[in-house]
Amino acid sequence: MNASVLAIDVGGTKMAAALVEPGGRVGAYERIITPQAPHVDSEGLWRTLLALIEKLPVERLAGVGVGCGGPMAWPSGEVSPLNMPAWHAFPLRERLSELFPGLPVRVHNDAVAVAVGEHWRGAGRGRPNVLGMVVSTGVGGGLILGDRIIDGKSGNAGHIGHVIVDPDGPACECGGRGCLEAIARGPGLSAWAREQGWTGETGKELAHDAARGHPVAVRAMNRAGWALGVAIASATHLCDLDVVAVGGGLSQAGPLLFRPLEDTFRAHAQMDFAREVRVVPAALGQMAGLVGAAAFIFGADRYWTGD
Amino acid sequence: MNASVLAIDVGGTKMAAALVEPGGRVGAYERIITPQAPHVDSEGLWRTLLALIEKLPVERLAGVGVGCGGPMAWPSGEVSPLNMPAWHAFPLRERLSELFPGLPVRVHNDAVAVAVGEHWRGAGRGRPNVLGMVVSTGVGGGLILGDRIIDGKSGNAGHIGHVIVDPDGPACECGGRGCLEAIARGPGLSAWAREQGWTGETGKELAHDAARGHPVAVRAMNRAGWALGVAIASATHLCDLDVVAVGGGLSQAGPLLFRPLEDTFRAHAQMDFAREVRVVPAALGQMAGLVGAAAFIFGADRYWTGD
């Protein structure tokens, strides 16, 4: 048997770990709800991750790949996930390297891992220029251009959520205003819908109500689709993309989200090179981040530029 | 003597040609006003370029590099410059290859050449992630990420002028709406100023009047600076840049343009990685496009991905 990669996906809601084969197939898989501060401290969270890994039949490994919520110091892998306050500058890469001496351990942003997964084995397969997106509690992404991951100055390239779609729009948690994320992230969208009289709570409920025809929920999906369409048009013009793969919980709304997205995108992206872009749902679903994390090892020539 | 590159910069206003040394120094240099249709046809324009080249003391050459107004088919180099209607799908690269058999001939967008020049020998020197911009009759640009030119699917990456800054803003010649270029290009800006009672004609006059304190002209510079600041913040978030180098005629307005640009940029780009970006005037002035064109040959490993 060829060595697998231990792939890890660390998020504020859940942690997942799997053994991913060289071809990208996900073998043994385990997940667990992420314990929440203040019920857990930094070491408690680490022990939770250890326990998760120990459930897997780990034998011969090619390396360890991790997608983790940002921000983080990259490539050194000290993570400070916004949704996991128990970890602040936690040396995740170093700890895992101590646990697996002699193996390559590579940690990157979770949305970047999703984008890489979609490029390697998902909706962007075979296309050199791909923007992968996660539309969920936040709006994140990753860029692959010329068949190589784009990291930028500090590993932060791909922040499509902070492309500005309405400069006078709502304040964003980043400190700016009118970012895509400020409008289209699940909590932002459901807050907007509640202001219009909708009575649900989560983005997931909102997508569900939109599917059932609730008029405010439908308008909320139009609003998110509009913001996504504007941001994707800007990204397409700047980066001359082949494919944009949109994943994350909100993308589950299907045509209710993708139709207004496509309409807005087409209205703004009229130059020949931009019209050719395909905006499609991500293909790997919940597994995208794990598959991408494995690609940091198996596809290091294209997907890993750090040390 | 080391072989030089014959560098050519083809624009709707002027054509320039120079011999550029391996280190990037511009030696012999010639320029000419571009003849305008209908006073010139396709072959007449080609003969004008030939006459320009013949003025140079061309001896041993390393190759021929060209920056030309877009759009064009890339990398095949059939050019259809918007501002030079006499050339439509003109096979510029092929013609030059026939003229200089055995030598590499490489043709790219003129704004991309400027960006490459600024990365190789200008304001972005030594920085791996650079957006170079030309703010003039249009707003163009080029991207260098990870110390390599980004071409995208069709050589069209770098179209910062069509990053959307006001989705409900003025119609853009690209067919979209609210693009940076629709607001900040010279003719768009002076048209806006005339609506407000200014009586001049060109963007250059507008910048001049702003420097003398004409209130409408100053407001016009604020408007351009605002639009540039929003677009540059979006590009910074998406690409995690080190430096943005802004050139072109309008950038001659200096602090009148750069101050509102910086204010808007700082208001929107608040995350740590984005705050570190420097937005600076381009350093090479009129020579940037020629220096960049030479880099398509001398720096082909980084700056040329075509055939």
Side-chain angles (χ1 to χ4, degrees), chain B residues 250-291:
Chain B
L250 207 66
S251 71
Q252 305 294 316
L256 281 162
L257 182 71
F258 279 88
R259 203 170 299 135
L261 187 170
E262 189 82 16
D263 288 348
T264 301
F265 175 73
R266 296 294 158 201
H268 281 284
Q270 303 240 347
M271 289 186 286
D272 286 345
F273 79 90
R275 294 165 70 105
E276 292 164 7
V277 176
R278 292 187 312 124
V279 183
V280 299
L284 302 180
Q286 300 271 43
M287 295 299 161
L290 291 167
V291 172

Side-chain angles (χ1 to χ4, degrees), chain B residues 12 35-36 72 78 86-87 147 170 177 259 263 290 298 306:
Chain B
Q36 300 296 314
M72 71 180 59
E78 288 106 32
W87 275 357
D147 266 328
R177 184 169 287 284
R259 203 170 299 135
D263 288 348
L290 291 167
F298 288 133

Side-chain angles (χ1 to χ4, degrees), chain A residues 48-96:
Chain A
T48 305
L49 179 59
L50 280 183
L52 180 70
I53 293 170
E54 280 165 13
K55 287 192 199 172
L56 292 171
V58 171
E59 290 183 20
R60 203 158 55 88
L61 287 180
V64 181
V66 185
C68 182
M72 69 180 61
W74 179 92
S76 59
E78 287 107 31
V79 303
S80 310
L82 274 185
N83 299 320
M84 301 170 67
W87 275 358
H88 184 79
F90 182 79
L92 181 59
R93 190 180 182 195
E94 188 183 316
R95 288 295 187 89
L96 286 166

Side-chain angles (χ1 to χ4, degrees), chain A residues 154 158 162 237-238 240 273, chain B residues 153-154 158 162 237-238 240 273:
Chain A
S154 57
H162 300 278
H237 289 151
L238 189 60
D240 190 10
F273 79 90
Chain B
K153 167 172 51 63
S154 56
H162 300 279
H237 290 150
L238 189 60
D240 191 10
F273 79 90

